[in-house]
Structure formats: C-alpha cells, structure tokens
Amino acid sequence: LADVYRLIDVRSYRSGLADGGAVVQVSASFDAVSFPPDEKYGCAISVYALDAETAPSGPKRIGTALTADSLAMARSSRTRLDRDPATWQRLTTELRLPANTDYLVVRLHITQAFDADGKATFTGSYADDVRVSLVRRTLLP
C-alpha cells in the first residue's frame, strides 16, 4: 500500500464554515510504471473533516481511527490504474464541511501488488497535480 496524508488547518476559514455552505474539493492524478498483466493496482482519494479534539497528533491517529473519529468524510470510488505509463487517471471527491471543522486530512491511496510472501512491493506508482479547493455551495433546504 502507498498512502500519503496531508493535514490542513482550516481554522482561519471558520467564519465561512459556520453556515454549512463550505465544500472542499480534492483532485489528483495517479499513474504507475508498466506492470505485469497478473498484477492489479488501484487508487482513491479520501478527505476527512476533524475538530481540534479529533485531529491526528501523530501517525497512530490515522487509518481506521481517523475514519471513526472524523466529523464527516468522503471517499472517491476506487479506480483501477491502467498499464500504460503515458496515461494518468484523474480522481475527484468533495465533502460538505460541518460548521465545527478545524482541520482536514487528505489521503491519497494506491493499492500495490504483493510478493509471494504477502509483503507489499513497490514497483513505481505516482500521484501528481493534487488540488484542494474550498468553495461555497448553495445550502440544502
């Protein structure tokens, strides 16, 4: 597995979050070096809204603990990486932020192949052109 996490402090935007109209959009491009036909790779983006109490203070607060403790979360559908290194797969996900959001955690995730002993092997996968935007949307009735 290949995971990249980024903690983003949004407390300075708190006044814009109070009415529930803020939406975070996250997009990224994924690719991998050429790999054998019997191997499969997939990628996904997750975004978590957290308050000050649930924000991770270290690596022990990621993974399932992060999912369980978040105020809200969104995950893109898992997309299979193709075998052509010249093409990139673009994913996007978005999350309407709760009013008490202090932090966001963005997770980029790539599943990898496993060797005969069940250990993950890294054969070359990439994430690039990551964009995180905070936008306003009409409130739902």
Side-chain angles (χ1 to χ4, degrees):
L1 299 175
D3 289 301
V4 175
Y5 291 86
R6 176 65 62 138
L7 178 67
I8 302 169
D9 186 341
V10 295
R11 291 176 294 178
S12 62
Y13 301 100
R14 183 64 95 99
S15 63
L17 304 177
D19 68 354
V23 175
V24 64
Q25 298 173 325
V26 182
S27 61
S29 294
F30 296 87
D31 199 8
V33 297
S34 186
F35 52 90
D38 61 330
E39 293 181 9
K40 292 181 173 60
Y41 294 79
C43 56
I45 299 171
S46 300
V47 60
Y48 305 86
L50 305 158
D51 60 17
E53 288 183 26
T54 58
S57 56
K60 293 179 182 172
R61 292 286 310 239
I62 59 176
T64 56
L66 183 61
T67 301
D69 293 343
S70 64
L71 302 171
M73 66 92 55
R75 183 176 296 131
S76 69
S77 60
R78 184 178 175 274
T79 299
R80 183 179 283 180
L81 292 173
D82 65 27
R83 289 185 172 71
D84 182 358
T87 61
W88 290 74
Q89 284 71 61
R90 185 83 181 160
L91 297 179
T92 301
T93 193
E94 60 181 45
L95 174 67
R96 188 172 294 269
L97 299 179
N100 56 335
T101 301
D102 292 317
Y103 298 94
L104 300 173
V105 171
V106 174
R107 176 187 181 215
L108 306 180
H109 175 77
I110 300 174
T111 56
Q112 301 285 343
F114 292 87
D115 68 15
D117 295 326
K119 297 177 190 161
T121 60
F122 180 79
T123 56
S125 54
Y126 310 94
D128 197 5
D129 193 25
V130 179
R131 297 173 189 223
V132 179
S133 304
L134 190 59
V135 298
R136 301 283 310 158
R137 290 270 171 78
T138 305
L139 294 174
L140 301 172

